[in-house]
Amino acid sequence: MKILYHHRTASKDGQAVHIEEMIGSLRALGHEVRVVAPGGESAPEEKSKMGDDAGWVHRLRAKLPKAVYELLELAYSLVAYRRLAAAARDFQPDLIYERYNLYLLSGLMLKRRLGVPLLLEVNAPLVDERAKFGGLALPRVARWAEDKVWRGADAVLPVTQVLGSMIAARGVPAERMVVIPNGINEAHFDEAPTPEAAKRALGWDDALVLGFTGFVRDWHGMDKVIRWMATEAAPANARLLVVGDGPERDNLERLAAELALGERVRFTGVVSRDAVPAHVAAFDIALQPAVVAYASPLKLFEYLALGKAIVAPSTPNIEEVLDHDGNALLFDPAEPGALEIQLARLSADAALRRRLGEGARATIGRLHLTWHGNARRVVALGQALRNGQGARAAPASDAKA
């Protein structure tokens, strides 16, 4: 199958991981993939780094009035359409696969012109998200654009059932929606060192290592973990490793210094994707202290792949993958001190950590949470649509109901 893959993502963070892994997996299955993107397809040496972000995009957004920036986003659809149309003339695709972004109408425009099925991957309700966190100058235009693309795609692929429900509430029929969560490249994580070797490389041979990966923001709640590290409930050998960077890093480092934690808390800064498994391998307790209600956090799948004991909030999207006391310890995010109670419980019980880790590792195979599995589902969807069948004619999800 020939797949025209389109995105407008400039970030070199978890978004880029998703893009690169899906493209690689589709090709590994023997399909041809032509990528149309702002900077073209990234070369291998330009692959994403954990905890990195697209600085130039944020600088541009900060300098321009919101309305001007949003109009430029909308105008980019015409630029992208010309690129897509040119690629389509040469490539003759069987399928268009697009990663949804706000004001991006070009994939829908090409689908209508060529009659080629459009599969739309949706990772967030961007109108709601940007209105909440960054503000929108043109909310009605943004809502119109989002509805237009969501309702116009042949299949909409939200990353969680929670997000799927939000999309359905906006008028997308259930029969055109298929939930495909994030995944993992098992081969990439098979090369990780043993926990003992990973700790030795950090100089923390006998430590109990708590770890977090990703772009650190204030809502992640890592300040709670650092404050807990300074209490008597935390073992003396407890260490915290934050793999990545982000806007909250300076505040967290100041907090750790104020609490005199010294070398007990360490930030790696931005690391390459290839270095992530070696860092996660050192974790005894893997942290997801908070989560956006509709997200499918990439870090969870990395934790699962390496069989880590996970602590996470008991939100519906997290419970699509994690079971309390089966492959993780879950806590009520609305209950004060609930996270800290589970940290103390897990820190004091090595047998519990081992049991949860075994459950975590088994989850990847049980729910087929791999990029290759996701790519197979995308191809099956595309084939069903090309045969005149609906999205529901493709194989059903292996994720939890």
Side-chain angles (χ1 to χ4, degrees):
M1 181 175 284
K2 291 184 175 183
I3 301 169
L4 187 58
Y5 193 110
H6 182 228
H7 71 88
R8 200 196 70 190
T9 301
S11 297
K12 292 296 181 181
D13 57 2
Q15 299 176 75
V17 173
H18 194 152
I19 291 166
E20 292 163 6
E21 291 290 359
M22 279 298 295
I23 292 169
S25 294
L26 288 166
R27 286 173 173 161
L29 292 174
H31 302 282
E32 294 182 64
V33 181
R34 177 76 61 88
V35 180
V36 177
E41 186 172 356
S42 296
E45 65 271 14
E46 297 172 332
K47 284 188 175 181
S48 59
K49 295 184 177 182
M50 182 56 61
D52 201 2
D53 212 347
W56 70 268
V57 174
H58 294 279
R59 288 192 296 272
L60 180 63
R61 184 182 295 178
K63 289 182 178 180
L64 293 175
K66 284 188 176 69
V68 174
Y69 182 82
E70 290 170 38
L71 288 172
L72 285 175
E73 289 183 281
L74 186 59
Y76 176 79
S77 286
L78 297 176
V79 176
Y81 172 74
R82 293 181 63 184
R83 292 174 178 169
L84 274 173
R89 282 194 297 271
D90 176 60
F91 188 53
Q92 297 294 305
D94 301 305
L95 174 70
I96 304 167
Y97 185 100
E98 185 169 82
R99 182 183 174 96
Y100 167 68
N101 214 319
L102 191 55
Y103 294 117
L104 190 61
L105 304 174
S106 39
L108 179 62
M109 293 161 64
L110 186 66
K111 162 226 164 24
R112 288 179 171 174
R113 175 183 165 186
L114 300 182
V116 174
L118 170 64
L119 271 62
L120 187 72
E121 172 198 310
V122 182
N123 292 271
L126 291 178
V127 170
D128 294 340
E129 185 176 274
R130 280 177 55 172
K132 180 178 179 180
F133 294 109
L136 279 174
L138 307 171
R140 290 184 181 179
V141 179
R143 183 76 65 178
W144 167 83
E146 188 165 80
D147 285 344
K148 197 80 172 173
V149 177
W150 285 3
R151 296 172 187 172
D154 296 281
V156 180
L157 315 179
V159 291
T160 63
Q161 294 174 37
V162 173
L163 180 55
S165 297
M166 297 172 73
I167 295 171
R170 298 271 292 280
V172 178
E175 60 269 20
R176 285 202 278 118
M177 262 195 298
V178 179
V179 176
I180 301 184
N182 277 323
I184 198 72
N185 182 337
E186 291 181 296
H188 183 53
F189 283 81
D190 284 345
E191 300 173 359
T194 64
E196 295 76 17
K199 290 182 183 182
R200 192 176 309 118
L202 295 169
W204 284 352
D205 297 69
D206 299 317
L208 175 76
V209 179
L210 288 74
F212 174 94
T213 65
F215 196 66
V216 192
R217 302 185 187 277
D218 56 355
W219 57 261
H220 276 126
M222 287 302 295
D223 58 311
K224 294 181 180 180
V225 179
I226 290 176
R227 293 184 189 281
W228 177 82
M229 290 280 294
T231 68
E232 293 183 358
N237 68 333
R239 302 290 184 270
L240 173 62
L241 183 64
V242 180
V243 182
D245 210 327
E248 190 63 8
R249 176 180 174 178
D250 289 346
N251 291 334
L252 294 175
E253 288 184 318
R254 279 194 295 271
L255 178 60
E258 290 169 6
L259 296 173
L261 290 172
E263 180 55 20
R264 294 184 66 196
V265 177
R266 186 182 300 175
F267 292 78
T268 67
V270 175
V271 301
S272 70
R273 278 179 56 196
D274 290 341
V276 171
H279 286 84
V280 176
F283 298 177
D284 294 293
I285 300 172
L287 302 169
Q288 178 76 62
V291 68
V292 176
Y294 45 77
S296 175
L298 185 61
K299 62 175 64 62
L300 279 187
F301 301 89
E302 297 170 345
Y303 299 162
L304 290 168
L306 287 177
K308 298 304 173 181
I310 301 168
V311 176
S314 56
T315 55
N317 58 327
I318 293 297
E319 291 177 327
E320 292 177 24
V321 175
L322 300 184
D323 296 300
H324 178 64
D325 209 33
N327 57 7
L329 288 186
L330 304 182
F331 64 91
D332 182 352
E335 182 181 335
L339 166 62
E340 293 84 348
I341 288 171
Q342 299 295 24
L343 290 177
R345 178 186 172 193
L346 205 48
S347 296
D349 194 335
L352 176 60
R353 295 197 299 272
R354 284 193 296 272
R355 178 169 65 79
L356 293 178
E358 291 169 359
R361 189 178 295 108
T363 302
I364 296 294
R366 178 168 56 86
L367 300 184
H368 304 279
L369 299 173
T370 66
W371 296 118
H372 276 86
N374 289 356
R376 281 191 290 270
R377 295 194 60 207
V378 165
V379 170
L381 277 168
Q383 290 171 338
L385 291 169
R386 285 187 61 80
N387 292 335
Q389 301 170 297
R392 295 292 180 171
S397 170
D398 290 300
K400 290 168 58 178

